Amino acid sequence: MPLLLPIRSRLPARALWTRRYHDESFGFRKRREYVFPDYTESQLENRYINAPLLRYVDSMRTHGHRAARIDPLDLIHREEVAALDPKRYGLIDDSKKYNVNGIIWTKPVGGSHSAEEWWTLAEITRHLRSVYVGRIAHEYMHSPSKTERLWFSHLLESESLPSSEKTTVDAGLKRRIHGLLARSEVLDNFLQLKFPNLKRYGLEGGESMLPALDSLFSSASHGGIQHIILGMPHRGRLNLLTDLLKFSPAALFNKIKGGSELPEELGAEGDVLSHLVSSPTLNYGSTNPLKVSLLPNPSHLEAVNPVALGKTRAKQYSLLKTSPKDCELGDKVMCVQLHGDASFTGQGVIMEGLGLSNLPHFTSGGTVHLVVDNNIGYTTPASNARSSLYCSDVGKMINAPVLHVNGDHPEDVVRAMDIAFRYRKYFRKDIIVDLLVYRRCHNELDLPSITSPLMYEKISARRSVPQIYEEKLKTEEILNENDITEVRTAYKLHLEAELSKVGSFVPEASMLEGQWKGIVWPASKEAEFDPVTGVDQETLTKVGKASVAVPDGFQVHSKLHRHIKNRLKSIETGKGIDWASAEAMAFGSLMLEGCDVRISGQDVGRGTFSQRHAMLVNQQTEGVIVPLNDELQAPGTLELANSSLSEMAVLGFEYGTSWERPNILPIWEAQFGDFFNGAQVIIDTYVVSAETKWLKQSGIVLLLPHGLDGAGPEHSSSRIERMLQLSDDPYVPKPNNEPANVNMHVVFPTTPAQYFHLLRRQIKRNFRKPLVVAAPKGLLRLSAASSSITELSKGSRFQPVLDDPIADASQVKRVVLVSGKIYYDLIKEREARGLNDDVAFVRIEELSPFPFKELTETLERYTRTDEIFYLQEEPKNQGSYTHVASRIQPVFEAIDYDGKLEYRGRKESALPAPGIGKLYAVQQKAVIAAAFESL
């Protein structure tokens, strides 16, 4: 059979039922295609003649896993699999010989398969059972790809022959495996002895995880991988850190004793023991060293996965710029994810992440998943934790192959990981290794036998995995008792020595190296909080025109001619710049300065409200262009990543991108503002707290369309009150009005110019902060909410507070503080009532950090004012009122205002907005009228 040949073609290989959409805009990654020749005429004839044998062989491939010896505790029910009996296919004579050419593959991929080969039925059965009913169970026959099925059959069947080098493990590797297993057990015993009340989430029972990863790292390094991005939960993390990942045991013991893992002068508050990280460079004897980056993660076990995917893809993109033209995603960087069995089945982010794995703007070249499968979740048995036979069955949603392997046999584990890497390297798709182990303890302070007595009776009666392997190596005369004692004693002495260093241990941090050079710590004196973000008008004009440039022969939708005409007109006159135009100018100007921009979400190319049109689709061919890329030819690029219908995984992905590349503007846009609640875990545990926990900066932007406009409870509010509650914004101004180093910025801009400056500020600052934007809906096309080009021009910048542009401060009797779109309803009503001289509307555009200085300077102008209200359209228990109310009081004291802040607006409600149109109209009218009551 000829070699499988990867073909780089213009279009990805797709199943016939998948709609082909011609998006080849920047960032679109084409999947490899494979040409796998069909069977030869002689092979087809042989398959026809020996059809019963073919059925038997395929049944072994399909059902062998059901009888495989993969459970170290033998608790998984293994039924008698009738499909594995050759008699069911009329094959009854063990001595009868069959030509197996084209039925069983005895040559590796690429080898010649033209000659006839005659085997007895007994030889066939023996060989197939050694491959498919052993301690590795292979599930790959569910794949709809004939190429993948044949690749596995060739690999597994040819390399299981006695003549194959893959059937043996050399003595050196066996000693290395033993060292990993033994040191893991020594560490767990050491921690139990020295810190008996510690929850360490040890690896006892799952020690084979370490040789599994060691094997994967070695295969990756020799396969051209230069960087692995690793995400994992807590079990075994300390064992992995202090061994393969070279984490200092002294640092570990310092943390256990209550010390900080980070330099205290940086003001970080740190994280728990089981979230520690390390990023060592490992040498496996290949041309290039291998860097492995274990990512910080929260206790929401699988939340790290999409973050790892985003960081992996972003790192690969950085390397692509300095690599040969034939370098593809996955050539140099690989994502590896570890999971527990219960979380792999139970956490929805797993399905969301798998759903991203092959999407053209999200794929990172294939992930190797290693499930450390305890067959129990905390104290919940598997029968109550999932509805499927295997925890890995969720991977079948993307037809991922699965290798189940018995963790009591580390050499088989190493073999499984080698196969996994070779599949991933060849097909650039996800693969799952289900490592079946057991867990002696959950957190060392728990008694799992209370709920699983039979399982733990078996566990307590058996020797450990390292001890079983030591007996094997002694039998093979590879190790003797002295060798074993020496390995364990040496490591214990090393841990003792490291423990003695705790008193003098000083933690270090290296968070601003590599691609983060030039970025400063936000709390440092060098931090520039308020850079000028305006751009010269010539550049703005160039970018604006480029954003709607349509090449000859490209047919845009008839409705877009007006969109293009209006943008060009606003650029020509310098007036009426709308939100989409200002956004395009922000993107394009940053691209000209060498910054990349990536915006993802559901239908972001067009925009939820049909406002952006940064991506144009040819109405005749469905071919796609991104005018800013094609026309500007800038050093930076714009990637428009129309995403799956996911919030948590997609936001996590973009957040991972922001960790890797400070020179990119990463934006996630929710379809409607409150849709972020599907990503709340990412927001709480990463966006909000990563800087404080891990010293990790991020420039992620969240666009959350917000505004009550009669759309009902779920399409109105970005739940801005939640974001503000999550901010660590001070309640009083800093001394000398110094900028507050808050964890994230929360803004509610009311003009396109303000939005323009906010986007550019994300990059022009010399540090990075998350930005949450209560983004517009109804304002997108409101002429009153447009800007002039001079407001975007050189010397201009974002204004945290916008004063009333028409009010005469010396005459105003009442000042109404507002945030957001209701401002335009209020000024329209004021004009209708003829009260322009009586009431002023001051907009607070930046809510966190609260603009104490700017608001004080603005209110000082209103010398005759004896009433200051805060008015909002959101219910009183929502919106920004509860955040600003206590912070406005210091402003009153600064301007010697004796009154109290009065609230005007809706009363408290369980809903962001009513779903009854008439009720909404009545409420909204009352809110607006409240601003003018008694005037």
Side-chain angles (χ1 to χ4, degrees), residues 620-678:
Q620 292 181 324
T621 66
E622 284 197 349
V624 167
I625 62 169
V626 177
L628 280 177
N629 286 334
D630 297 344
E631 193 71 14
L632 283 183
Q633 295 294 305
T637 50
L638 170 62
E639 182 172 8
L640 297 161
N642 291 323
S643 77
S644 64
L645 196 67
S646 157
E647 281 80 38
M648 185 172 179
V650 174
L651 176 56
F653 190 100
E654 303 311 326
Y655 187 81
T657 298
S658 75
W659 268 5
E660 175 59 30
R661 298 182 60 194
N663 63 334
I664 192 173
L665 178 64
I667 302 172
W668 176 68
E669 181 176 61
Q671 198 170 57
F672 287 93
D674 56 348
F675 284 14
F676 80 84
N677 53 23

Side-chain angles (χ1 to χ4, degrees), residues 547 587 604-606 612-616 625-628 638 640:
S547 69
F587 291 170
V604 294
R606 187 199 72 164
R612 181 171 290 122
H613 300 297
M615 174 185 287
L616 301 178
I625 62 169
V626 177
L628 280 177
L638 170 62
L640 297 161

